[in-house]
Amino acid sequence: MLAIVKKELSSYFHSLIGYVYLAVFFGFSGFYFFATSLYSNTTSLNYMYNGLFVIICFLIPILTMKLFSVERKQKTDQALLTAPVSLFSIVMGKYLSVLLIYLFSISITLLYGIIISFFAPAEWAVILGNFVALFLIGAAIIAIDMFISSTTESQSIAAVASFAVSFLVIMFDAMTSLVSVDFISKILKGISLTQHYYNTFTVGIFNIADIIFFLSICTLFVFFTIRVFEKRRWS
Amino acid sequence: MIEVRNIKKYYGSKIAVDDVSFAVNDGEILGFLGPNGAGKSTTMNILTGYISSNEGTVTIDGFEILKEPIKAKSKIGYLPEIPPLYLDMTVREYLNFMFDLKNIKFPKISHIEEICEKVKIIDVIDRLIKNLSKGYKQRVGLAQALLGNPKLLILDEPTVGLDPKQIIEIRNLIKELKKDHTIILSSHVLPEIQSICDRVLVINKGKIVADDTAENLSNNLQAETNLIAQIQGDKEIVLRTLSNIQQIINIEASEEKSEGVFEYKIKSVSDDVRKHIFRELAKIDCPIIELKTSTVNLEDIFLQLTKDEDELKPNDLNISSNNAESEFDKGGEK
C-alpha cells in the first residue's frame, strides 16, 4: 500500500497535475481569504470556507480522473493486479494518496487562522469545524470520483462524470426542495452531502452523526471500487 | 511447479478457454503456441490471477491462485503482452516501485542493479521510460518480471514487435534464465518456440490440440517423405511416367513456374525415390530443374493442428511447407 501511495504522489508531481491543482487551490483560497476576511475586516473565515467548498468540488475531479482510468488504458493495472498485494491495499493506496494531497492543500486554511489570530482572537472551534467539514466532504467526493475513475478507461469521461457529481452535490438541496412528497424529500435530505456539511460543523459543532455519515460514504465507495475490480476479473 | 486443471473462461456466451489442463515441472520451459486469438493471453492472464477462470483451478507451487492469491502471485514474474510500464517514470523509479509493490526482501539497490545488468538496461536506468525504444521497453518489462527472482516466469509474446537483432538477444536471455526459473512462454512465432522450449503446447480456439516436445511432434508427422520437384516438359507425360514408379504414393502438379516448367509435389514411402525419378525422367528427356525434400517442421504441425477439424483430411498431414514458411517468417519478424 505504501508503495502505491509513494508512486501516486510522485506521479502527481512528475506531471503538472499536482502543481496545477495546488497553484489553483492556493490562488483561490488566498483570494477568498483576502476578499472575505482581511479586506472586509472580519475574523470569520466562514465565507472563505464556503467559497472553497465550491472550488474543491471542481478541483477534486482533476486529481481523481486518471487514478484508475489511465492504468487500465495503458494496461499498467496488469502489474498491480498480478503483484502479490490485495485489491484493498491497491485501492486504499490510491485513495490515500489523493487524500494526502487534498489534506495538504486545505491545510493552508489553518495558516490563515493563525494569520487572523495576530489581529484578533480567532474562533478556533469554528475554524477547525470548517476545516474538518471541508476535509470530510472532500474525502467523500474523492471516494465517489475514484469509483467513477475505476469504471472507465477514459480520463475525460471520468472527469466529466465527476464534475456532474460535484454539480449534483452543490445543487442537491435546491433540487430536493422541488419534491413535494414529504417522505421522499426527507430521504433526499438525509443523503445530501451539504445537509451534513452546513449547520453543524460550520458553527463549530462536531456532530458524531455527521462524521459517521461522511465516513460511511467514503467506505461505501472504496468498497464499490474494489467490487469494480472484482467484477472485471470475472467478466 | 504449476498445475492447471480444467480451466474454462467465457466472455459472454463465447468461450475463450475451453477445458485447458496441463502441468509444468520445476525447471521446465514450456512453449505456448497458437494463432492470434487462440486464447494464449487469456490463459496466461488466468494463470497470473489477473482474470479469473469460470471453472477449474490453477495451483502455483502448492498455492491456489484464487484461494491464496498473495502467496501464489509472489511466486510469479509476469510479462504481459503489452509491458505494464509507467511511461513518465525513469527505469530506476519504475523498478523501485515494482520492488516495493512486490514486497521483496532482497537488498533493494544491489538487486535492482543486478537485474538491470542481466537484461542489459543498466545504461538507460536513469532515462524516462517513454523515451526508450520498443526493445528497451520490453526489457524493462522483463526486468520487472524478474524482480525478486520468482520461481515461475510467465512471458506473453516477449519478442513481438522487436527487430531481428533484438529478438535474438531476448531469446538468448530467456535461454539463460532457463537455468534458474521455470518458464512459460507464449508465441505465434514458431522458430522461437522450437529453439527455446523443451515442451510445446499448441492451443487453438481455446483448446489444447497438442502437448509434446518439439521433436516428437515433428517425428510423428514424418513417416512419409515429401519431395518438391520442378520438371521441364509436358505435364501429362511427366505425371504418367512418375506414377509408374512404385514407391510413389501420390503426385500433385501445381502451377507452372516458368515456361514449360511445372512444380510437382511428390509423396513417397520412406525409401529414397530420387534416383528412380531421375532415371525415369531421363528416359523421356524431361530435365529436373530443381528437386528438394520438404521436411516437416513445427510450422506444418502448427498449421495442421490449428486447422478446422472438418477440413482436416489425412492427406493434409504432408503438405509442403514452402508457402506457409515464408508467410510465418513475415508474420513473425514484422
Side-chain angles (χ1 to χ4, degrees):
Chain A
M1 189 153 85
L2 268 181
I4 292 177
V5 174
K6 234 169 84 185
K7 177 230 134 201
E8 283 301 314
L9 287 180
S10 76
S11 92
Y12 277 122
F13 294 102
H14 261 130
S15 61
L16 277 177
I17 292 180
Y19 296 107
V20 168
Y21 166 79
L22 286 180
V24 172
F25 184 86
F26 289 157
F28 274 106
S29 71
F31 168 75
Y32 277 119
F33 177 55
F34 170 75
T36 64
S37 190
L38 293 183
Y39 188 73
S40 42
N41 281 325
T42 163
T43 59
S44 162
L45 292 179
N46 274 0
Y47 293 108
M48 180 195 74
Y49 277 110
N50 274 344
L52 283 185
F53 166 60
V54 178
I55 299 298
I56 61 122
C57 275
F58 289 96
L59 279 182
I60 284 176
I62 306 293
L63 289 180
T64 55
M65 63 182 185
K66 68 175 196 64
L67 264 188
F68 287 109
S69 53
V70 171
E71 297 261 4
R72 206 172 142 203
K73 190 160 200 175
Q74 298 184 343
K75 308 266 180 201
T76 45
D77 60 336
Q78 268 185 318
L80 297 181
L81 295 173
T82 58
V85 283
S86 64
L87 265 178
F88 175 78
S89 34
I90 295 173
V91 172
M92 275 315 272
K94 294 259 181 189
Y95 184 55
L96 284 182
S97 66
V98 184
L99 217 50
L100 277 176
I101 294 189
Y102 176 67
L103 182 64
F104 176 70
S105 66
I106 63 169
S107 298
I108 199 165
T109 58
L110 296 178
L111 201 67
Y112 299 149
I114 296 172
I115 292 172
I116 284 288
S117 66
F118 284 113
F119 299 104
E123 276 184 285
W124 279 107
V126 176
I127 293 175
L128 284 179
N130 268 307
F131 177 75
V132 170
L134 193 64
F135 176 71
L136 286 175
I137 202 164
I141 293 174
I142 290 170
I144 298 172
D145 291 354
M146 172 175 79
F147 165 69
I148 291 171
S149 175
S150 73
T151 57
T152 171
E153 267 185 34
S154 146
Q155 48 175 330
S156 341
I157 290 177
V160 170
S162 303
F163 283 135
V165 166
S166 294
F167 197 67
L168 194 70
V169 166
I170 295 171
M171 298 293 291
F172 205 77
D173 284 343
M175 278 148 60
T176 51
S177 63
L178 298 177
V179 179
S180 51
V181 186
D182 201 37
F183 169 67
I184 295 175
S185 109
K186 251 188 190 160
I187 293 180
L188 290 177
K189 259 188 188 156
I191 59 167
S192 161
L193 294 186
T194 43
Q195 281 289 329
H196 296 266
Y197 178 74
Y198 295 115
N199 310 330
T200 52
F201 288 111
T202 49
V203 290
I205 300 168
F206 289 83
N207 185 352
I208 298 290
D210 290 339
I211 295 177
I212 289 177
F213 171 78
F214 284 120
L215 291 183
S216 350
I217 296 219
C218 301
T219 317
L220 192 68
F221 280 92
V222 167
F223 172 74
F224 282 162
T225 311
I226 295 173
R227 297 314 297 172
V228 167
F229 283 96
E230 274 294 331
K231 188 193 163 272
R232 195 170 297 147
R233 279 176 62 183
W234 292 95
S235 59
Chain B
M1 184 67 231
I2 177 165
E3 204 184 337
V4 178
R5 265 198 221 137
N6 308 93
I7 53 169
K8 283 189 183 177
K9 179 74 185 173
Y10 297 92
Y11 288 125
S13 60
K14 189 183 165 285
I15 189 153
V17 176
D18 190 0
D19 205 18
V20 165
S21 302
F22 61 92
V24 186
N25 299 324
D26 274 353
E28 204 174 12
I29 172 158
L30 176 79
F32 227 64
L33 191 62
N36 291 329
K40 297 188 300 272
S41 292
T42 308
T43 309
M44 294 200 144
N45 280 335
I46 292 172
L47 299 188
T48 52
Y50 177 61
I51 54 176
S52 306
S53 56
N54 297 98
E55 280 171 46
T57 56
V58 176
T59 315
I60 288 150
D61 210 19
F63 301 109
E64 214 176 286
I65 193 99
L66 286 179
K67 288 187 182 145
E68 294 173 282
I70 294 181
K71 278 182 184 156
K73 283 174 185 175
S74 67
K75 310 275 180 201
I76 307 174
Y78 181 35
L79 173 62
E81 203 172 350
I82 300 161
L85 306 173
Y86 293 100
L87 300 178
D88 53 358
M89 289 184 173
T90 66
V91 175
R92 193 192 297 275
E93 282 166 344
Y94 174 68
L95 293 177
N96 274 334
F97 164 62
M98 290 307 293
F99 184 95
D100 292 340
L101 183 71
K102 292 184 177 185
N103 208 359
I104 296 162
K105 297 286 182 268
F106 296 121
K108 190 168 174 179
I109 295 169
S110 60
H111 182 61
I112 287 177
E113 282 188 354
E114 192 185 304
I115 281 171
C116 288
E117 296 273 5
K118 208 186 250 178
V119 300
K120 301 196 181 75
I121 50 171
I122 197 86
D123 46 331
V124 295
I125 194 164
D126 286 314
R127 282 176 58 184
L128 284 178
I129 293 177
K130 66 178 160 201
N131 295 334
L132 296 181
S133 68
K134 182 127 211 272
Y136 270 115
K137 281 182 186 160
Q138 195 73 26
R139 284 186 218 189
V140 176
L142 194 57
Q144 164 273 126
L146 287 172
L147 282 174
N149 284 335
K151 277 186 168 178
L152 176 65
L153 277 181
I154 297 184
L155 312 173
D156 196 353
E157 309 210 344
T159 57
V160 86
L162 302 182
D163 67 42
K165 189 167 164 271
Q166 293 168 325
I167 290 179
I168 292 167
E169 283 172 1
I170 294 269
R171 270 185 211 164
N172 289 339
L173 185 62
I174 295 171
K175 279 183 198 160
E176 254 171 61
L177 295 172
K178 215 164 151 176
K179 290 173 219 149
D180 313 313
H181 306 268
T182 306
I183 303 177
I184 298 180
L185 175 99
S186 87
S187 183
H188 60 266
V189 187
L190 297 122
E192 185 164 290
I193 299 264
Q194 220 162 6
S195 70
I196 304 176
C197 300
D198 302 331
R199 212 175 109 204
V200 185
L201 212 68
V202 185
I203 186 166
N204 187 40
K205 292 187 177 163
K207 280 191 174 142
I208 291 182
V209 285
D211 177 0
D212 213 333
T213 62
E215 287 141 31
N216 277 353
L217 280 178
S218 40
N219 285 344
N220 288 346
L221 292 177
Q222 241 174 348
E224 293 170 330
T225 315
N226 294 310
L227 291 174
I228 295 168
Q230 285 185 22
I231 300 162
Q232 199 173 15
D234 186 74
K235 197 157 82 175
E236 294 306 316
I237 299 173
V238 171
L239 281 174
R240 208 181 314 131
T241 316
L242 288 180
S243 54
N244 289 336
I245 302 172
Q246 273 187 350
Q247 287 93 333
I248 290 178
I249 302 166
N250 187 21
I251 314 163
E252 258 175 58
S254 51
E255 79 268 42
E256 194 170 4
K257 283 286 173 184
S258 52
E259 219 189 310
V261 179
F262 290 89
E263 191 176 84
Y264 301 86
K265 289 173 188 168
I266 304 167
K267 284 176 198 169
S268 65
V269 288
S270 43
D271 284 339
D272 197 345
V273 291
R274 279 176 291 188
K275 53 188 179 219
H276 299 293
I277 293 174
F278 167 71
R279 279 186 199 129
E280 292 301 320
L281 290 174
K283 277 183 207 158
I284 56 166
D285 195 24
C286 288
I288 301 172
I289 309 293
E290 192 185 316
L291 182 61
K292 61 184 177 188
T293 54
S294 86
T295 50
V296 183
N297 60 12
L298 262 186
E299 269 139 29
D300 304 292
I301 302 164
F302 179 75
L303 286 176
Q304 279 316 310
L305 293 169
T306 56
K307 249 189 182 177
D308 281 337
E309 268 152 25
D310 46 50
E311 316 174 0
L312 197 69
K313 292 168 232 146
N315 269 352
D316 284 346
L317 282 173
N318 283 331
I319 52 158
S320 90
S321 62
N322 274 12
N323 297 337
E325 208 166 73
S326 51
E327 242 166 62
F328 260 103
D329 282 344
K330 271 182 231 150
E333 317 288 343
K334 201 162 32 184

